[in-house]
Structures are given as structure tokens and as C-alpha cells.
Amino acid sequence: MAGLAAAFGSGAMTNSVPEFSQYTRCFLITGSNTTEAHPLIASHVMEAKERGAKIIVIDPREVQIGLLADIYLRPRPGTDVAWLNGLMNVIVTEELADQEFIEKRTEGFEEMWEVVKEYTPERVEEITGIPADDLRAAARLYAQNKPAAILYAMGITQHTTGTDNVKSIANLAMLTGNIGIPGAGVNPLRGQNNVQGACDMGGLPNVYPGYQPVTSPEAKAKFESAWGVESLPDQPGLTVVEMVNAAGEGQLRALYIMGENPLVTDPDINHTKECLEKLELLVVQDIFPTETAQLAHVILPGASFAEKDGTFTATDRRIQRVRKAVNPPGEAKADWEIICELAKKLGAKGFDFSSPEEIMAEIAKVTPSYGGVTYERLDKEGSLQWPVPSVEHPGTPYLHKEKFTRGLGRFHAVHFREAAELPDEEYPFILTTGRTMFQYHAGSMTRRSPKLEQEAPEPYVEINPSDAEKIGLNGAKRVRVSSRRGSIEVAVRLTERIKPGVVFIPFHYAEAAANALTHAALDPIARIPEYKICAVKVEPVRSP
């Protein structure tokens, strides 16, 4: 979000998912295991492939969608800025850039080019391991097949250079004019079904709903008036890892966690647990007794998606109704009801809502991009894509049609930087983490499904056969994977899908949590942790 907002003025997916199967002629997919993590989106890519669209996959691990790729590049993990700059170097030097788009709709090209011209394909090969001629072929394929869409996920963002990676992706799209038209753009694929909606509603430490900055005096005054309060904060709060650290340091005394399980999903979870145990009050609101809930002083039972009314906003800004199918069990309540009841007990005003529809009416009043969204329209039209500034507005299938949200799109000059922790003699492997098709996030729901658990019942590590030979695996079925922060034992899967020198562990399994190994180094701008790279060692575990 930070990278796209800096480049375009808006930090959201630029296109609609149905555009991929209708219009897109070339996909550049990177840092996304699309078929396993976003299978419905992948189905649109497959439809496009059937009508002749080209696919470029760039990922250190051989992900499933790579089977469809016309070109598959496998860089060294953490070198994304280098190969992105390399693609742009080829496009400019071979005169494949969209000069008219650059001149009319962007700024900062010359400053960007001063950096990019240093990243020749040969230099990029030295940094990333991608053969220079393969990089050239990918650059040509992307630039010469317009409209082209870039799809990416946490493999790009979960780095200390995550914001730089996204700025570089934005550079590439603008360089070729692949923005502001159907089927072409920059498309971050969200990790959960309502992440976009949560961000839209201000579920971030630096903005009010609709991405209105807390540092803006005008926005502050607007929300003080709308909510009937005085002295709203005018400085950003803390991000997830920063909150955990503040708890450990005694600077944060209470924490309220809703629908999240940081004792599986946060980096360096041994440290996370130590910090959460120091809180004077930990409240967990969830639908199941998660690992984090075991530490809570108070548990508030929430309702699942099937037990409440409301809306979800999908990854392509698509606002959709959620309709209650069954009543919540026991004392469980919809999240909005719990929050309103708690607010009233704390003496707050303005929480006298009787339905989610009333809440949406307030959202429309204070959030310009949702200004024309009503339940009546959603019931009639099925969905709306923001921005929807008025009730007459039909919604916006793709962004930046005639101008960027910030006016001119901005190129950024971005140099390659190494990851925070690299392999050494003691910890010779790079660990990267990710998802599987049959488990979801922390496993709080999917691991309670017998059929899904049957498909993917245990944690494992993928390791290249050449590495297995080097460490003397000799048929051992289990290994101990250790970092400077922790150690876990997991089953072994030998596979060429993973490059030599790299190992992969899915993060869904609390009994051998990959995040016991990861570290909490943060991107300096977005403050996102570097889940995708840390140094580990792997040792065989012999049966007694």
C-alpha cells in the first residue's frame, strides 16, 4: 500500500479480476503462489492462457502456476529490485518504453533512469542468478504484449525492501503504459478475504477510513465532528510488530486482538509470546480458542461469516454483501455488536447502531470512496467497486483511467539492497515461508476441518536433493530446522521445486511453527516484517 500510494496516490489493486480473462494479453506473476493461495483469481489467468495470453512467472520456488509459464525465472530470494530494474533497463535500451505515456502522465523518469541504467542484464545475472538472455526475453514479452498485468503477493511485500519492491513494480507498469486501461495494471493479491475492507475502514495506524491521514488537520477535524469527540490523535500509532515490542518493553499495557492469531502468524513467535505475557490485559475476540486465546485474560466469542450481516471488500475493491445464514452459537455475537456494547460500557457516544446497514450509512458519509454505497444498491447490483463517490456513480472497474489519484504517476529511483539476514557458515540456508492449498493462514479454521486436515496434516520442509546430500540426510524422514531465534522438527520433502541453498516451510502449523524461526526485521517505511528470508541450518533427526 505504501509503495503504490507513493507512485499512484492509491494503494489498491488497479484492475478487476474478471478483466484478466477478458483483456489481459500478458501476465507477470511474482511472489505469488496464485493457484494455491488465490485459486479463483488463478482460474481467470487460466482462461486468459486458453485464449493466447502469455505468462511470465518470476519466483525462487517453483510454484504451481509456473507450469503455465511461457517464461519462468528463478532469482535468488530477496533480489527483486535488481531484476525489476533489469527488466526496465532492457525495455528502455531496446526502445520498448511507452514514451507518450511517460511524457504525458508521469514525472521522475530521469531520476529513475539514472539508477536503472546501472542494472544491465549481465549485472543483474551476477546479483540474482537469472541468465541475462532470459531476462531480456521476459522484458520483451511483457513490453510487447499490451495490455499486461502484474500480479504479486506477499512474496514481494514481506521483506525489509517490500516498499522498494512495490515502487519498482509501479515503475515497470508506468514505463510501458500498462496502467489505466482494462486488463493492464498493478495488482496486489490480498492474503485474506477482507484485508482490503479492513484497510479501507481505517484498520491501519496512520489513517482514518478511506485512507484519510491522521496527520491531516482537516481529516482530524472532520472525524471529530462526525463522531462527536474532541482531540483525536494527530500522530500515527504502532504497527503489529511494534505493538508486540512495546508490550515487551512495558510501554503497552493492554492489547485487544480480533480474529488474528499472532502466536502462529507473527515473526519470531517465541519473542511474541514473551511480550504478550507481560501485558496487564489481553483481550482476544475470535470464533475458536486459538493459541493466542490461551494467553488471554478475557475471551470475547465472535461470530463467523455465516452468522452475521455486513460486507466484505475483496482484493479488487469489490464491496459485497454478507448475509446471515444461521444464528451464532452460545454467547457469541457479531463483531460490531461486541464493539458497540463495549464502547457504551466505556462511556462512548455514537455507538447506538441497530444494524450493519446503519453503520454503512455512516461509512458513506465520512468515506468519499464509499460515498455512494448503500445496502439497497448492493442488494440490487450484486457488488460495487470503489471509488463510488455518489449514489449515481456506477463504481470503478479499473483505476487511473485518465489521471493518477495523485495527478501524475511518480517514478522512484530504487537501488537494490540485501535482506536483513543472509546465510553464513553456521546458518547456511535461506528459509522462505508460504501457504498450501489445503490450509489457511493460522489454521484456526481449516485445521478443524477433517477433510482439509487429511489433505495436509503435518508441517514439512522442502529441500533440494543436492542439499539433502550435503547435510548427510541419508534417508532420514525428519529434520531439525534452526535459526538464531528458535528450532523446530518437521518432515522432509525432497524436491527440485526449491533452489539449492533455500528451504521452504508452510507457516500454518502451530506444533512446528515456521515463525519460531523468522525474525522481525521491518521495512523502514511500511513496517512489514521480513517473513520471506532468514538464515537457518538443517540437521537430520535419526529415529531411536
Side-chain angles (χ1 to χ4, degrees):
M1 188 174 292
L4 292 185
F8 303 155
S10 171
M13 186 168 168
T14 62
N15 297 99
S16 303
V17 172
E19 290 176 32
F20 299 152
S21 52
Q22 292 177 280
Y23 303 109
T24 305
R25 293 184 59 212
C26 182
F27 296 90
L28 195 165
I29 301 172
T30 182
S32 169
N33 184 3
T34 320
T35 50
E36 292 196 66
H38 297 93
L40 295 181
I41 293 174
S43 70
H44 288 269
V45 177
M46 292 176 186
E47 286 182 34
K49 178 71 174 178
E50 289 176 0
R51 61 167 172 77
K54 305 299 183 182
I55 299 177
I56 304 163
V57 175
I58 306 180
D59 200 292
R61 183 171 173 252
E62 191 175 297
V63 291
Q64 191 181 61
I65 200 164
L67 297 172
L68 301 178
D70 296 276
I71 295 176
Y72 200 140
L73 307 181
R74 299 180 67 183
R76 178 168 67 87
T79 59
D80 303 295
V81 165
W83 61 256
L84 282 160
N85 281 347
L87 291 176
M88 290 185 279
N89 181 291
V90 173
I91 288 167
V92 174
T93 55
E94 296 192 3
E95 299 182 350
L96 299 174
D98 188 330
Q99 292 298 333
E100 183 179 359
F101 186 92
I102 293 167
E103 291 168 10
K104 291 184 177 180
R105 297 207 45 193
T106 69
E107 61 184 357
F109 172 81
E110 293 301 332
E111 294 89 338
M112 183 271 292
W113 175 242
E114 284 301 308
V115 169
V116 166
K117 68 182 181 183
E118 299 177 21
Y119 289 82
T120 63
E122 286 71 25
R123 185 186 174 203
V124 171
E125 181 173 355
E126 292 176 1
I127 296 170
T128 69
I130 295 172
D133 286 344
D134 292 351
L135 188 79
R136 290 188 178 96
R140 293 166 189 153
L141 193 66
Y142 173 77
Q144 294 175 336
N145 287 277
K146 193 173 180 177
I150 301 174
L151 277 57
Y152 69 91
M154 277 72 77
I156 283 291
T157 58
Q158 290 179 342
H159 294 271
T160 51
T161 58
T163 304
D164 286 349
N165 293 345
V166 175
K167 287 178 178 177
S168 298
I169 284 174
N171 285 347
L172 178 60
M174 290 188 290
L175 185 69
T176 53
N178 273 304
I179 198 90
I181 56 176
V186 177
N187 298 287
L189 308 182
R190 296 298 204 172
Q192 299 197 61
N193 64 333
N194 200 32
V195 169
Q196 187 66 54
C199 294
D200 295 348
M201 293 301 100
L204 294 161
N206 62 332
V207 292
Y208 293 112
Y211 308 99
Q212 298 168 83
V214 299
T215 54
S216 164
E218 294 78 17
K220 179 175 180 289
K222 170 183 175 177
F223 283 94
E224 286 174 343
S225 174
W227 293 341
V229 297
E230 297 178 0
S231 303
L232 286 174
D234 59 4
Q235 294 299 315
L238 303 176
T239 60
V240 171
V241 173
E242 290 172 324
M243 283 190 278
V244 169
N245 290 339
E249 295 162 2
Q251 302 299 311
L252 188 71
R253 297 168 58 198
L255 189 58
Y256 189 154
I257 299 175
M258 293 175 55
E260 188 55 273
N261 190 10
L263 286 190
V264 175
T265 61
D266 272 20
D268 192 2
I269 57 174
N270 293 323
H271 170 72
T272 298
K273 184 177 181 181
E274 291 174 4
C275 293
L276 295 183
E277 288 175 337
K278 293 181 179 180
L279 289 164
E280 294 179 34
L281 174 63
L282 174 60
V283 181
V284 172
Q285 185 169 317
D286 215 316
I287 63 174
F288 290 118
T290 64
E291 287 75 14
T292 305
Q294 306 303 317
L295 295 183
H297 301 98
V298 177
I299 298 175
L300 300 174
S304 76
F305 74 96
E307 299 159 355
K308 58 190 174 187
D309 290 307
T311 62
F312 287 159
T313 303
T315 191
D316 62 355
R317 299 169 285 104
R318 189 180 305 275
I319 306 159
Q320 302 171 91
R321 280 290 311 276
V322 178
R323 294 173 179 84
K324 181 177 176 179
V326 293
N327 290 322
E331 296 179 288
K333 294 180 182 292
D335 297 303
W336 71 269
E337 293 180 278
I338 296 173
I339 293 168
C340 288
E341 285 191 30
L342 180 60
K344 290 176 186 177
K345 290 182 182 295
L346 292 169
K349 298 179 181 179
F351 287 84
D352 297 318
F353 299 106
S354 60
S355 70
E357 185 171 6
E358 289 185 7
I359 298 172
M360 179 57 78
E362 183 192 283
I363 291 168
K365 288 179 182 177
V366 299
T367 312
S369 57
Y370 280 64
V373 179
T374 66
Y375 272 35
E376 182 180 1
R377 287 193 68 185
L378 292 173
D379 288 339
K380 182 180 179 181
E381 300 177 43
S383 66
L384 290 165
Q385 286 177 275
W386 67 257
V388 191
S390 67
V391 291
E392 295 80 22
H393 196 281
T396 310
Y398 60 93
L399 299 178
H400 317 304
K401 180 178 180 181
E402 295 172 349
K403 67 175 184 178
F404 288 96
T405 306
R406 70 182 299 277
L408 293 175
R410 176 157 193 83
F411 284 103
H412 288 87
V414 182
H415 269 296
F416 164 68
R417 291 185 290 116
E418 289 281 10
E421 184 179 73
L422 296 175
D424 56 20
E425 189 173 336
E426 185 178 3
Y427 297 95
F429 293 98
I430 292 175
L431 166 67
T432 189
T433 65
R435 304 182 180 214
T436 71
M437 179 177 285
F438 299 103
Q439 300 291 2
Y440 182 69
H441 206 53
S444 304
M445 293 181 287
T446 54
R447 300 207 67 197
R448 289 175 165 83
S449 165
K451 288 188 179 296
L452 293 177
E453 187 70 356
Q454 179 181 328
E455 294 290 344
E458 67 173 349
Y460 59 88
V461 59
E462 291 182 353
I463 185 168
N464 189 279
S466 64
D467 288 328
E469 187 175 343
K470 288 178 184 176
I471 65 172
L473 203 57
N474 295 329
K477 302 296 185 183
R478 298 183 65 79
V479 293
R480 180 177 298 105
V481 186
S482 306
S483 74
R484 292 178 175 85
R485 290 154 295 279
S487 181
I488 60 174
E489 288 188 13
V490 289
V492 175
R493 292 189 183 179
L494 301 183
T495 175
E496 298 284 352
R497 292 181 66 186
I498 201 77
K499 290 169 66 74
V502 181
V503 296
F504 168 84
I505 302 176
F507 70 87
H508 311 291
Y509 300 91
E511 66 269 31
N515 283 319
L517 310 175
T518 56
H519 66 121
L522 300 177
D523 178 292
I525 298 172
R527 316 303 290 169
I528 193 170
E530 190 154 60
Y531 287 103
K532 297 304 180 187
I533 295 180
C534 72
V536 298
K537 60 184 175 182
V538 182
E539 303 164 293
V541 175
R542 304 296 178 192
S543 300

